[in-house]
Amino acid sequence: MDMDQHWISSTLNIQSTSTQQQQQVTTISMETSLLDHQYLNNNKEQEEEDEQHHQRQLPCEIVEEILLQLPVNSLLRFRCVCKPWLALISDPKFIKSHLHNHSPKQDEGDDVDDGKTRSSKALVMLSSSLSLLKSVHVQVLDTRIEAGSAEADAAGAARTTSTRVVVVEEVHESPMRHQAVQDMKIVGSCNGLLCLVLHSQDMMIYNPSTRQLQPVPPPPPPPPPTNNYYSGKDYFYGFGYDSSNDDYKIVRASCSSRNGNFATHLDMYNLNTNSWRAAIKTLPCYFLSNVVGTLLNGALHWVVRLAAAERPFSIVSFDVTEETYRYVPLPGEGDKNFSFYGLGVLGGCLSMLHSPHGSDYEVWLMNEYGVKASWTIFTTIPQKMESEYLGLMSLVRILNNGEIVILLHQRKLVIYNPGHRTLRTILSGDIHSSQLALYLETLVSPSAAPTIKTYSSSITPLNQAKASP
């Protein structure tokens, strides 16, 4: 009896153990099936989520078109978003497309007209005796007030225009931020690149927006005097873009004279080769007035003196791509009594400031390039205004409301209203002995060579916004 009970108990224990094992196996099998099912579901959900995410993504072409519309500061920040954006924004084709999209057409600036408000912008880069680069954004806002509106009723007019000038300044530290710089001059501006001369001898090409710079090797020494020619002490500079070879070039001119005969030697620097070529051209003239050549239509322009006795003055034009020169006629006869105060570009036209026999300054525009008969007087500027003699001035650009931005006495920016013949100062102070250049914010690199230096931080916003009614 006892043995039978023991056998039955053992059998039950074995059966119980077997049943537990089977349950464990069944449980494990169920868990495995559940995990497999969950894994399959998760994969399916992940695939669906990936598909939905892919559908939500914009095509690369649309992303590129959006980025091409953005300003440089935004693009510099967006390089950190992801590697594809970094590669795209750094691509030379993208940089060229961005430059093309944001380049002002015929020097009309960034003009915008939405039907109610018209804006005109000018970005001016100044170098001062304090060895700082200062960018000045000048924006004119013309708001049209339509008849029947509350503003028109308050103004008591059927339609009027409210004009407001906004000026925003930014100070850029010297590109040589780790070295003391006593003297820095802007001797050219092209496609967002500045050509700078430091300490009257060291040269560099610098992009203030990206803070990239390319040191320029020392230029060749001037040719020794020959045949009793007297060499001048000043150099004349020009900076432009060679579109055929996708190259940026610096021109340096040195002048000499002998018994009324003149010779000007041109040295040229090519960014692509990072080297100078000495005395590529010799011009039979003597450069005057403009130390920095005026860039227009791919050519650099200077006022020059010729050996001719009756009409000794003219304008020389040097084509940056072809490396050839020609003469452009002055508005007058170029006789000995012709008084001029420099060249410029206004409204996409070659301009000249002329003072006939001590009377009011005349602002001349060459409406059809190279055609003497197309010179016309755009406006006149009194020599004395508000008990101040205007004297030395540089015409910067014409705003879309017809006013002119002027650098006066190399120490303050003013806006001249031709209709009312009035001046108002928009910037003065620590810009004494300034050199000025119109500037365009771009991503253009000063060089593709590995010698480029990049500084992480060199712009200090002044957070100053001034408005004049």
Side-chain angles (χ1 to χ4, degrees):
M1 185 68 178
D2 292 339
M3 292 180 62
D4 291 340
Q5 289 178 348
H6 179 72
W7 179 82
I8 293 172
S9 176
S10 298
T11 300
L12 291 172
N13 287 338
I14 291 172
Q15 290 176 348
S16 175
T17 302
S18 176
T19 302
Q20 290 177 358
Q21 290 177 347
Q22 289 178 358
Q23 290 176 347
Q24 289 178 357
V25 170
T26 301
T27 301
I28 292 173
S29 176
M30 290 176 63
E31 289 178 352
T32 302
S33 298
L34 183 63
L35 289 174
D36 289 342
H37 179 72
Q38 183 68 28
Y39 175 76
L40 292 173
N41 284 345
N42 286 347
N43 269 1
K44 186 176 181 180
E45 291 176 359
Q46 183 65 42
E47 289 176 359
E48 291 177 353
E49 185 177 341
D50 290 344
E51 180 66 22
Q52 292 175 359
H53 178 68
H54 179 71
Q55 291 176 356
R56 288 195 300 266
Q57 283 186 329
L58 291 173
C60 295
E61 296 80 4
I62 301 299
V63 172
E64 182 174 354
E65 284 301 319
I66 294 173
L67 292 177
L68 284 173
Q69 309 307 316
L70 298 180
V72 170
N73 287 342
S74 298
L75 293 175
L76 294 176
R77 294 197 306 270
F78 291 167
R79 291 183 303 180
C80 303
V81 170
C82 58
K83 289 183 178 179
W85 282 25
L86 172 61
L88 174 62
I89 295 172
S90 304
D91 186 85
K93 292 183 179 179
F94 178 88
I95 293 174
K96 285 187 178 180
S97 298
H98 185 268
L99 171 64
H100 176 76
N101 284 0
H102 292 263
S103 295
K105 303 299 184 293
Q106 295 300 319
D107 193 44
E108 289 300 323
D110 300 322
D111 294 349
V112 177
D113 194 337
D114 61 6
K116 183 177 181 181
T117 300
R118 182 178 60 173
S119 68
S120 176
K121 298 179 183 179
L123 178 55
V124 181
M125 188 67 67
L126 297 167
S127 68
S128 70
S129 57
L130 301 178
S131 297
L132 293 174
L133 289 174
K134 173 178 290 189
S135 60
V136 183
H137 299 250
V138 183
Q139 183 174 18
V140 176
L141 301 175
D142 292 338
T143 303
R144 291 185 281 278
I145 304 174
E146 300 296 336
S149 64
E151 294 88 348
D153 293 340
R159 174 172 178 158
T160 185
T161 301
S162 174
T163 300
R164 187 164 58 97
V165 178
V166 179
V167 179
V168 179
E169 308 166 37
E170 283 184 347
V171 171
H172 303 245
E173 294 180 9
S174 166
M176 304 297 290
R177 58 184 309 212
H178 300 298
Q179 301 179 19
V181 177
Q182 301 299 325
D183 180 44
M184 178 170 57
K185 294 182 174 65
I186 301 175
V187 296
S189 174
C190 181
N191 294 345
L193 299 179
L194 298 180
C195 183
L196 303 176
V197 175
L198 282 67
H199 307 121
S200 301
Q201 55 183 1
D202 297 330
M203 301 186 69
M204 66 175 57
I205 300 174
Y206 179 56
N207 185 328
S209 297
T210 62
R211 306 179 185 95
Q212 293 177 324
L213 68 86
Q214 172 66 48
V216 175
T226 58
N227 298 327
N228 298 320
Y229 268 79
Y230 169 76
S231 298
K233 298 180 180 180
D234 296 326
Y235 289 111
F236 298 81
Y237 298 92
F239 180 56
Y241 176 64
D242 178 352
S243 57
S244 295
N245 300 297
D246 192 20
D247 193 11
Y248 289 88
K249 298 179 178 180
I250 301 173
V251 177
R252 190 188 71 161
S254 56
C255 305
S256 59
S257 63
R258 180 179 68 91
N259 298 329
N261 295 314
F262 307 114
T264 295
H265 303 282
L266 302 184
D267 304 320
M268 177 166 287
Y269 167 84
N270 293 72
L271 182 59
N272 283 350
T273 60
N274 193 32
S275 61
W276 287 89
R277 290 178 289 142
I280 62 166
K281 289 287 181 183
T282 299
L283 280 58
C285 56
Y286 199 97
F287 284 25
L288 302 171
S289 180
N290 285 56
V291 173
V292 179
T294 298
L295 182 63
L296 177 65
N297 297 334
L300 295 162
H301 302 77
W302 293 269
V303 175
V304 296
R305 183 180 178 90
L306 305 174
E310 295 183 359
R311 297 183 178 89
F313 300 114
S314 185
I315 299 172
V316 68
S317 168
F318 181 80
D319 189 291
V320 176
T321 299
E322 300 296 333
E323 299 182 5
T324 57
Y325 74 93
R326 56 176 287 198
Y327 292 107
V328 178
L330 287 167
E333 295 299 328
D335 58 22
K336 296 180 180 180
N337 296 321
F338 188 81
S339 300
F340 52 85
Y341 294 89
L343 297 174
V345 178
L346 295 176
C349 300
L350 189 65
S351 67
M352 166 169 280
L353 193 63
H354 171 47
S355 178
H357 310 295
S359 59
D360 289 353
Y361 297 107
E362 296 175 349
V363 180
W364 287 77
L365 300 183
M366 181 177 254
N367 296 288
E368 186 176 350
Y369 183 75
V371 179
K372 181 176 181 177
S374 69
W375 281 106
T376 58
I377 298 177
F378 173 74
T379 188
T380 60
I381 304 175
Q383 288 202 9
K384 183 178 181 181
M385 297 182 65
E386 299 175 358
S387 302
E388 179 183 11
Y389 285 98
L390 300 189
L392 183 63
M393 69 175 75
S394 299
L395 306 182
V396 180
R397 69 156 296 185
I398 302 173
L399 300 172
N400 61 9
N401 62 354
E403 295 183 319
I404 306 176
V405 181
I406 301 173
L407 176 66
L408 198 59
H409 303 307
Q410 291 187 311
R411 60 181 175 83
K412 64 180 180 180
L413 275 176
V414 301
I415 290 182
Y416 174 68
N417 186 308
H420 297 92
R421 294 173 68 86
T422 56
L423 282 177
R424 62 185 185 277
T425 301
I426 60 174
L427 179 67
S428 62
D430 58 348
I431 61 170
H432 182 66
S433 299
S434 295
Q435 287 78 42
L436 172 147
L438 278 176
Y439 173 70
L440 178 68
E441 291 178 331
T442 72
L443 294 167
V444 175
S445 172
S447 174
T451 54
I452 290 179
K453 302 177 183 178
T454 304
Y455 298 124
S456 59
S457 177
S458 67
I459 295 185
T460 305
L462 295 181
N463 295 324
Q464 297 178 354
K466 306 174 184 177
S468 58

